[in-house]
Amino acid sequence: MSTLQGRIADSVGNWVDRNAPSAVKPYLRLSRFDRPIGAWLLLIPCWWSAALAAVAAGWSLPNLWHLILFFVGAFVMRGAGCTWNDIADHDIDKKVERTRLRPIASGAVTLSQALAYAILQSLVGFLVLIQLNGFAIATGIASLGIVALYPFMKRVTYWPQIVLGLAFSWGALMGWAAAFGQLDLAPILLYLGAIAWVIGYDTIYAHQDRADDLFAGIKSTALLFGADTRRMLMLFYGTAVVLIGLAGYAAGGGYWFVVGLGAFAIHLGWQITTLDIDDTDRCLMQFRSNRDAGLLLFAGMVLDALL
Protein backbone atom coordinates (compact mmCIF):
# COMPACT_ATOMS: atom_id res chain seq x y z
CA MET A 1 0.00 0.00 0.00
CA SER A 2 1.35 3.42 -0.91
CA THR A 3 2.28 5.70 1.98
CA LEU A 4 0.08 8.31 0.31
CA GLN A 5 -3.00 6.14 0.40
CA GLY A 6 -5.91 7.96 1.94
CA ARG A 7 -4.38 11.42 1.59
CA ILE A 8 -6.05 14.03 -0.55
CA ALA A 9 -4.58 16.94 -2.40
CA ASP A 10 -5.33 19.68 0.13
CA SER A 11 -4.46 17.63 3.20
CA VAL A 12 -0.80 16.69 3.57
CA GLY A 13 1.86 17.35 6.18
CA ASN A 14 -0.64 17.74 9.03
CA TRP A 15 -0.67 16.18 12.49
CA VAL A 16 -2.53 13.09 11.27
CA ASP A 17 0.21 12.37 8.71
CA ARG A 18 2.98 13.05 11.19
CA ASN A 19 1.77 11.67 14.50
CA ALA A 20 -1.35 9.50 14.32
CA PRO A 21 -0.99 5.70 14.56
CA SER A 22 -1.29 4.05 11.16
CA ALA A 23 -4.36 2.03 12.16
CA VAL A 24 -6.45 5.11 12.96
CA LYS A 25 -5.21 7.47 10.23
CA PRO A 26 -7.94 6.47 7.72
CA TYR A 27 -10.66 7.07 10.30
CA LEU A 28 -9.25 10.44 11.34
CA ARG A 29 -9.22 11.37 7.65
CA LEU A 30 -12.80 10.19 7.26
CA SER A 31 -13.72 12.61 10.07
CA ARG A 32 -11.57 15.33 8.45
CA PHE A 33 -9.64 15.79 11.69
CA ASP A 34 -6.69 16.48 9.41
CA ARG A 35 -8.69 19.43 8.04
CA PRO A 36 -10.66 20.97 10.92
CA ILE A 37 -11.86 24.03 9.00
CA GLY A 38 -15.22 22.40 8.25
CA ALA A 39 -15.82 21.73 11.94
CA TRP A 40 -15.05 25.38 12.71
CA LEU A 41 -17.52 26.52 10.07
CA LEU A 42 -20.16 24.21 11.55
CA LEU A 43 -19.37 25.46 15.06
CA ILE A 44 -19.39 29.21 14.43
CA PRO A 45 -23.17 29.61 13.86
CA CYS A 46 -23.69 27.73 17.16
CA TRP A 47 -21.44 30.19 18.95
CA TRP A 48 -23.10 33.14 17.19
CA SER A 49 -26.47 31.92 18.42
CA ALA A 50 -25.26 31.42 22.00
CA ALA A 51 -23.70 34.88 22.02
CA LEU A 52 -26.82 36.47 20.51
CA ALA A 53 -28.89 34.79 23.23
CA ALA A 54 -26.59 36.35 25.85
CA VAL A 55 -27.12 39.78 24.27
CA ALA A 56 -30.89 39.34 24.29
CA ALA A 57 -30.97 38.02 27.86
CA GLY A 58 -28.64 40.70 29.23
CA TRP A 59 -26.05 38.14 30.36
CA SER A 60 -22.43 39.27 30.62
CA LEU A 61 -21.18 36.23 28.66
CA PRO A 62 -22.61 33.37 26.61
CA ASN A 63 -23.26 30.14 28.52
CA LEU A 64 -19.77 28.60 28.74
CA TRP A 65 -21.09 25.04 29.13
CA HIS A 66 -23.10 25.44 25.94
CA LEU A 67 -20.03 26.76 24.09
CA ILE A 68 -18.06 23.68 25.15
CA LEU A 69 -20.86 21.29 24.18
CA PHE A 70 -21.21 22.95 20.79
CA PHE A 71 -17.44 22.69 20.24
CA VAL A 72 -17.39 18.96 20.92
CA GLY A 73 -20.64 18.37 19.06
CA ALA A 74 -19.52 20.29 15.97
CA PHE A 75 -16.30 18.33 15.59
CA VAL A 76 -17.98 14.97 16.19
CA MET A 77 -21.01 15.59 14.00
CA ARG A 78 -18.96 17.12 11.22
CA GLY A 79 -16.94 13.91 11.32
CA ALA A 80 -20.10 11.82 11.12
CA GLY A 81 -21.41 13.96 8.27
CA CYS A 82 -18.16 13.71 6.31
CA THR A 83 -18.09 9.95 6.80
CA TRP A 84 -21.65 9.71 5.49
CA ASN A 85 -20.73 12.00 2.60
CA ASP A 86 -17.80 9.76 1.66
CA ILE A 87 -20.02 6.67 1.84
CA ALA A 88 -22.50 8.29 -0.53
CA ASP A 89 -19.80 9.69 -2.83
CA HIS A 90 -17.28 6.84 -2.89
CA ASP A 91 -17.91 6.17 -6.59
CA ILE A 92 -17.63 9.86 -7.50
CA ASP A 93 -14.57 10.46 -5.31
CA LYS A 94 -12.60 7.96 -7.41
CA LYS A 95 -13.05 10.21 -10.45
CA VAL A 96 -11.98 13.50 -8.81
CA GLU A 97 -8.27 14.23 -8.47
CA ARG A 98 -8.61 16.03 -5.13
CA THR A 99 -10.68 13.22 -3.55
CA ARG A 100 -9.57 9.99 -5.25
CA LEU A 101 -7.32 9.05 -2.31
CA ARG A 102 -9.94 9.52 0.40
CA PRO A 103 -10.11 6.47 2.69
CA ILE A 104 -13.13 4.77 1.13
CA ALA A 105 -12.30 5.66 -2.48
CA SER A 106 -8.72 4.42 -2.01
CA GLY A 107 -9.77 1.19 -0.28
CA ALA A 108 -8.19 2.02 3.08
CA VAL A 109 -11.62 1.67 4.76
CA THR A 110 -14.51 -0.53 3.61
CA LEU A 111 -18.06 0.73 3.30
CA SER A 112 -19.21 -1.39 6.25
CA GLN A 113 -16.36 -0.09 8.43
CA ALA A 114 -17.18 3.48 7.46
CA LEU A 115 -20.88 2.99 8.24
CA ALA A 116 -20.06 1.58 11.70
CA TYR A 117 -17.76 4.54 12.30
CA ALA A 118 -20.45 7.02 11.24
CA ILE A 119 -22.89 5.42 13.70
CA LEU A 120 -20.31 5.58 16.51
CA GLN A 121 -19.68 9.29 15.91
CA SER A 122 -23.41 9.97 15.76
CA LEU A 123 -23.89 8.27 19.13
CA VAL A 124 -21.22 10.49 20.67
CA GLY A 125 -22.97 13.50 19.14
CA PHE A 126 -26.26 12.33 20.64
CA LEU A 127 -24.67 12.11 24.08
CA VAL A 128 -23.61 15.73 23.68
CA LEU A 129 -27.05 16.79 22.45
CA ILE A 130 -28.94 15.30 25.39
CA GLN A 131 -27.07 17.59 27.77
CA LEU A 132 -29.35 20.38 26.48
CA ASN A 133 -33.02 21.06 27.16
CA GLY A 134 -35.79 19.09 25.47
CA PHE A 135 -36.60 21.75 22.90
CA ALA A 136 -32.95 22.02 21.87
CA ILE A 137 -32.71 18.23 21.63
CA ALA A 138 -35.72 18.11 19.30
CA THR A 139 -34.30 21.00 17.27
CA GLY A 140 -30.98 19.19 16.87
CA ILE A 141 -32.61 15.93 15.81
CA ALA A 142 -34.66 17.79 13.20
CA SER A 143 -31.46 18.61 11.29
CA LEU A 144 -30.57 14.98 10.58
CA GLY A 145 -32.78 14.67 7.51
CA ILE A 146 -31.04 17.60 5.84
CA VAL A 147 -27.62 16.16 6.68
CA ALA A 148 -28.59 12.80 5.18
CA LEU A 149 -29.95 14.42 2.02
CA TYR A 150 -27.03 16.72 1.21
CA PRO A 151 -24.58 14.26 -0.47
CA PHE A 152 -27.15 13.36 -3.12
CA MET A 153 -28.16 16.90 -4.11
CA LYS A 154 -25.08 17.54 -6.26
CA ARG A 155 -26.36 14.83 -8.59
CA VAL A 156 -29.68 16.57 -9.28
CA THR A 157 -29.27 20.34 -8.84
CA TYR A 158 -26.75 23.11 -9.42
CA TRP A 159 -27.73 24.42 -5.96
CA PRO A 160 -26.43 21.77 -3.51
CA GLN A 161 -24.88 24.67 -1.58
CA ILE A 162 -28.38 25.64 -0.44
CA VAL A 163 -28.83 22.26 1.24
CA LEU A 164 -25.34 22.51 2.71
CA GLY A 165 -26.32 25.94 4.03
CA LEU A 166 -29.46 24.53 5.64
CA ALA A 167 -27.34 21.89 7.40
CA PHE A 168 -24.22 23.92 8.31
CA SER A 169 -26.24 26.88 9.58
CA TRP A 170 -28.45 24.84 11.91
CA GLY A 171 -26.35 25.86 14.88
CA ALA A 172 -27.73 29.40 14.48
CA LEU A 173 -30.94 27.97 15.94
CA MET A 174 -29.29 25.73 18.53
CA GLY A 175 -27.62 28.30 20.79
CA TRP A 176 -30.85 30.24 21.22
CA ALA A 177 -32.90 27.05 21.70
CA ALA A 178 -30.44 25.85 24.36
CA ALA A 179 -30.67 29.18 26.19
CA PHE A 180 -34.42 29.83 26.06
CA GLY A 181 -36.12 26.54 25.13
CA GLN A 182 -37.82 28.20 22.15
CA LEU A 183 -37.09 30.01 18.88
CA ASP A 184 -37.80 33.66 18.12
CA LEU A 185 -37.30 36.07 15.23
CA ALA A 186 -33.64 36.79 16.04
CA PRO A 187 -32.31 33.21 15.64
CA ILE A 188 -34.43 32.66 12.53
CA LEU A 189 -32.92 35.75 10.90
CA LEU A 190 -29.47 34.60 12.05
CA TYR A 191 -30.11 31.18 10.48
CA LEU A 192 -31.16 32.71 7.15
CA GLY A 193 -28.11 34.97 7.16
CA ALA A 194 -25.82 32.05 7.91
CA ILE A 195 -27.31 30.09 4.99
CA ALA A 196 -26.42 32.93 2.62
CA TRP A 197 -22.89 33.00 4.07
CA VAL A 198 -22.47 29.24 3.56
CA ILE A 199 -23.66 29.42 -0.05
CA GLY A 200 -21.04 32.10 -0.67
CA TYR A 201 -18.04 30.42 0.90
CA ASP A 202 -18.86 26.96 -0.42
CA THR A 203 -19.13 28.38 -3.93
CA ILE A 204 -15.54 29.57 -3.53
CA TYR A 205 -14.57 26.10 -2.30
CA ALA A 206 -16.33 24.39 -5.22
CA HIS A 207 -14.26 26.32 -7.75
CA GLN A 208 -11.36 24.00 -6.90
CA ASP A 209 -13.19 21.09 -8.53
CA ARG A 210 -14.85 22.65 -11.59
CA ALA A 211 -13.06 20.55 -14.20
CA ASP A 212 -13.40 17.29 -12.28
CA ASP A 213 -17.06 17.99 -11.50
CA LEU A 214 -17.81 18.50 -15.16
CA PHE A 215 -16.15 15.18 -15.97
CA ALA A 216 -17.98 13.35 -13.18
CA GLY A 217 -21.36 14.96 -13.92
CA ILE A 218 -21.49 16.75 -10.56
CA LYS A 219 -23.34 20.06 -10.22
CA SER A 220 -22.48 23.08 -8.08
CA THR A 221 -23.02 26.82 -7.83
CA ALA A 222 -19.40 27.25 -8.98
CA LEU A 223 -20.34 25.72 -12.33
CA LEU A 224 -23.65 27.58 -12.42
CA PHE A 225 -22.18 31.02 -11.65
CA GLY A 226 -18.90 30.65 -13.56
CA ALA A 227 -17.54 34.07 -14.52
CA ASP A 228 -20.42 35.73 -12.61
CA THR A 229 -19.20 34.31 -9.31
CA ARG A 230 -17.97 37.64 -7.93
CA ARG A 231 -21.33 39.30 -8.59
CA MET A 232 -23.20 36.39 -7.00
CA LEU A 233 -20.93 36.51 -3.97
CA MET A 234 -21.83 40.16 -3.56
CA LEU A 235 -25.49 39.11 -3.52
CA PHE A 236 -25.13 36.26 -1.02
CA TYR A 237 -22.54 37.84 1.25
CA GLY A 238 -24.50 41.11 1.21
CA THR A 239 -27.67 39.22 2.13
CA ALA A 240 -25.82 37.49 4.96
CA VAL A 241 -24.64 40.79 6.44
CA VAL A 242 -28.11 42.38 6.22
CA LEU A 243 -29.94 39.40 7.76
CA ILE A 244 -27.39 38.95 10.55
CA GLY A 245 -27.61 42.68 11.23
CA LEU A 246 -31.39 42.39 11.51
CA ALA A 247 -30.92 39.44 13.88
CA GLY A 248 -28.72 41.59 16.08
CA TYR A 249 -31.28 44.41 16.02
CA ALA A 250 -34.07 41.98 16.98
CA ALA A 251 -31.96 40.71 19.89
CA GLY A 252 -31.12 44.20 21.12
CA GLY A 253 -27.53 44.28 19.91
CA GLY A 254 -25.58 47.47 20.39
CA TYR A 255 -22.31 49.18 19.46
CA TRP A 256 -19.96 46.21 19.70
CA PHE A 257 -22.33 44.01 17.73
CA VAL A 258 -22.19 46.59 14.93
CA VAL A 259 -18.38 46.68 15.15
CA GLY A 260 -18.20 42.90 14.87
CA LEU A 261 -20.66 42.87 11.98
CA GLY A 262 -18.63 45.57 10.24
CA ALA A 263 -15.42 43.55 10.61
CA PHE A 264 -17.25 40.50 9.25
CA ALA A 265 -18.53 42.50 6.27
CA ILE A 266 -15.09 43.95 5.51
CA HIS A 267 -13.59 40.44 5.53
CA LEU A 268 -16.26 39.19 3.12
CA GLY A 269 -15.63 42.20 0.90
CA TRP A 270 -11.92 41.36 0.83
CA GLN A 271 -12.78 37.84 -0.31
CA ILE A 272 -14.91 39.16 -3.17
CA THR A 273 -12.43 41.76 -4.41
CA THR A 274 -9.39 39.45 -4.32
CA LEU A 275 -11.07 36.28 -5.62
CA ASP A 276 -9.50 34.46 -8.57
CA ILE A 277 -11.69 31.49 -9.47
CA ASP A 278 -8.92 30.01 -11.62
CA ASP A 279 -6.41 29.93 -8.75
CA THR A 280 -7.32 26.82 -6.73
CA ASP A 281 -4.81 27.60 -3.96
CA ARG A 282 -6.33 31.04 -3.47
CA CYS A 283 -9.85 29.61 -3.49
CA LEU A 284 -8.87 27.19 -0.71
CA MET A 285 -7.17 29.94 1.28
CA GLN A 286 -10.18 32.25 1.03
CA PHE A 287 -12.58 29.45 1.92
CA ARG A 288 -10.56 28.67 5.04
CA SER A 289 -10.42 32.38 5.95
CA ASN A 290 -14.14 32.29 6.71
CA ARG A 291 -13.32 30.87 10.12
CA ASP A 292 -11.61 34.19 10.90
CA ALA A 293 -14.55 36.14 9.46
CA GLY A 294 -16.98 34.20 11.66
CA LEU A 295 -14.85 34.62 14.77
CA LEU A 296 -14.66 38.39 14.22
CA LEU A 297 -18.45 38.55 14.35
CA PHE A 298 -18.54 36.25 17.38
CA ALA A 299 -16.04 38.47 19.20
CA GLY A 300 -18.25 41.48 18.53
CA MET A 301 -21.28 39.66 19.93
CA VAL A 302 -19.37 38.62 23.07
CA LEU A 303 -18.10 42.15 23.63
CA ASP A 304 -21.62 43.48 23.15
CA ALA A 305 -22.88 41.19 25.92
CA LEU A 306 -19.92 41.94 28.18
CA LEU A 307 -19.75 45.70 27.76
Side-chain angles (χ1 to χ4, degrees):
M1 181 183 296
S2 167
T3 57
L4 290 178
Q5 187 172 38
R7 292 183 182 180
I8 60 175
D10 58 357
S11 178
V12 292
N14 53 69
W15 73 273
V16 172
D17 287 328
R18 293 191 305 268
N19 306 122
S22 297
V24 301
K25 281 182 180 180
Y27 294 97
L28 294 175
R29 290 176 181 134
L30 270 179
S31 297
R32 309 292 197 272
F33 285 134
D34 54 340
R35 296 184 299 150
I37 181 59
W40 278 105
L41 294 175
L42 183 63
L43 170 64
I44 284 169
C46 301
W47 278 5
W48 285 352
S49 189
L52 197 65
V55 170
W59 302 333
S60 60
L61 287 172
N63 186 304
L64 180 60
W65 177 235
H66 289 171
L67 297 183
I68 293 170
L69 288 174
F70 291 142
F71 183 88
V72 175
F75 275 79
V76 171
M77 291 310 296
R78 191 255 182 161
C82 287
T83 304
W84 171 246
N85 187 79
D86 284 8
I87 292 170
D89 283 354
H90 71 279
D91 54 337
I92 295 172
D93 284 344
K94 295 175 183 179
K95 303 175 184 178
V96 177
E97 179 63 25
R98 191 177 56 81
T99 60
R100 65 184 179 84
L101 292 177
R102 282 180 174 171
I104 301 174
S106 67
V109 175
T110 67
L111 284 172
S112 59
Q113 288 171 331
L115 181 60
Y117 184 53
I119 293 171
L120 175 62
Q121 292 174 96
S122 298
L123 288 174
V124 175
F126 182 71
L127 290 177
V128 171
L129 182 63
I130 61 175
Q131 307 306 308
L132 304 175
N133 63 58
F135 183 84
I137 293 171
T139 303
I141 292 173
S143 70
L144 295 179
I146 300 172
V147 173
L149 182 65
Y150 167 68
F152 304 101
M153 298 310 295
K154 61 178 74 90
R155 294 166 169 84
V156 298
T157 178
Y158 281 101
W159 291 93
Q161 278 72 24
I162 291 179
V163 183
L164 181 70
L166 292 171
F168 257 62
S169 303
W170 202 262
L173 305 175
M174 291 299 298
W176 191 281
F180 299 124
Q182 65 182 44
L183 291 177
D184 299 289
L185 178 60
I188 292 172
L189 290 169
L190 184 67
Y191 177 59
L192 295 174
I195 291 170
W197 179 50
V198 173
I199 293 171
Y201 71 58
D202 201 64
T203 297
I204 294 174
Y205 183 81
H207 272 291
Q208 298 176 93
D209 298 330
R210 289 199 321 270
D212 287 328
D213 285 350
L214 278 171
F215 174 75
I218 299 304
K219 300 175 174 65
S220 73
T221 49
L223 290 173
L224 179 65
F225 299 160
D228 286 334
T229 292
R230 182 173 283 109
R231 181 171 60 85
M232 296 304 293
L233 286 179
M234 291 175 64
L235 172 63
F236 284 107
Y237 277 171
T239 298
V241 171
V242 169
L243 288 172
I244 293 170
L246 291 173
Y249 178 78
Y255 172 79
W256 286 105
F257 177 89
V258 174
V259 170
L261 183 65
F264 177 70
I266 290 169
H267 194 291
L268 299 187
W270 165 79
Q271 292 180 43
I272 293 169
T273 57
T274 61
L275 178 67
D276 181 354
I277 62 174
D278 296 317
D279 185 339
T280 57
D281 289 339
R282 185 161 194 85
C283 287
L284 180 61
M285 180 273 289
Q286 289 190 325
F287 164 75
R288 287 174 170 168
S289 76
N290 278 279
R291 179 194 65 175
D292 300 331
L295 289 177
L296 286 171
L297 177 56
F298 174 66
M301 291 178 171
V302 171
L303 287 173
D304 202 67
L306 181 63
L307 301 177

